[in-house]
Amino acid sequence: MDPGTAGWMLSFSAFPGILASLVTPVVAQRVRPTWLPVAVAVALTGVAYLGFGVMPLAGSYLWMTMLGLGQGASISLSLTYIVWRSPDTHHTGQLSTMSQGFGYLLAGLGPLGIGAAHSLTGSWTVPLSILGLLLLVQLGFGTWASRPVHVGRE
């Protein structure tokens, strides 16, 4: 895919991501079991990664739509859980500082690591596999965060 088209595809994925980020917290508030929205977000992203690996050009709009939906749902759930799992505003600030500080530090290392894996292997198979494994970590922590309990309360 030429760089201009690839840039458009990345921009395109933001549209379903915006929609998912607006709708997901409302849906997550009503859905039981509480881990189900996390699992759906991980599944959408995982199918997108699989599609990129198997048919990257043929289904590019479908994969980018699923990626946008999965990533939009994931970020909105993570930010919403900070508020829902805090008993008061003081704890919300503490939980937000800790989770976003640590989370964005790790996320900032992601492009470097994925780029290094691509450079070392010359293929996208290993980087996509790494991202797939990280989705399992996301599923585990997301399931844990979705539990309807407050954190930081003595």
Side-chain angles (χ1 to χ4, degrees):
M1 177 177 293
D2 68 272
T5 304
W8 158 248
M9 296 305 291
L10 185 58
S11 297
F12 170 79
S13 73
F15 297 115
I18 291 167
L19 176 67
S21 68
L22 293 172
V23 171
T24 301
V26 175
V27 172
Q29 200 169 23
R30 293 171 171 79
V31 171
R32 296 295 176 264
T34 58
W35 54 263
L36 189 58
V38 174
V40 169
V42 166
L44 286 166
T45 307
V47 169
Y49 291 162
L50 186 61
F52 292 144
V54 177
M55 297 177 14
L57 295 176
S60 58
Y61 275 98
L62 177 61
W63 310 139
M64 293 308 284
T65 299
M66 296 184 89
L67 181 67
L69 290 171
Q71 289 180 336
S74 295
I75 189 68
S76 67
L77 283 172
S78 65
L79 295 174
T80 301
Y81 286 150
I82 291 170
V83 177
W84 287 352
R85 301 306 170 237
S86 302
D88 53 44
T89 56
H90 178 72
H91 286 94
T92 301
Q94 289 180 331
L95 183 58
S96 178
T97 300
M98 185 275 306
S99 60
Q100 290 189 64
F102 184 70
Y104 284 117
L105 175 65
L106 287 179
L109 297 174
L112 293 172
I114 296 300
H118 175 65
S119 293
L120 288 172
T121 63
S123 164
W124 284 107
T125 304
V126 171
L128 286 172
S129 298
I130 292 169
L131 289 171
L133 290 174
L134 288 173
L135 281 177
L136 296 176
V137 174
Q138 178 181 331
L139 179 63
F141 280 109
T143 299
W144 179 75
S146 71
R147 296 171 307 136
V149 296
H150 286 139
V151 296
R153 187 171 227 168
E154 296 180 19

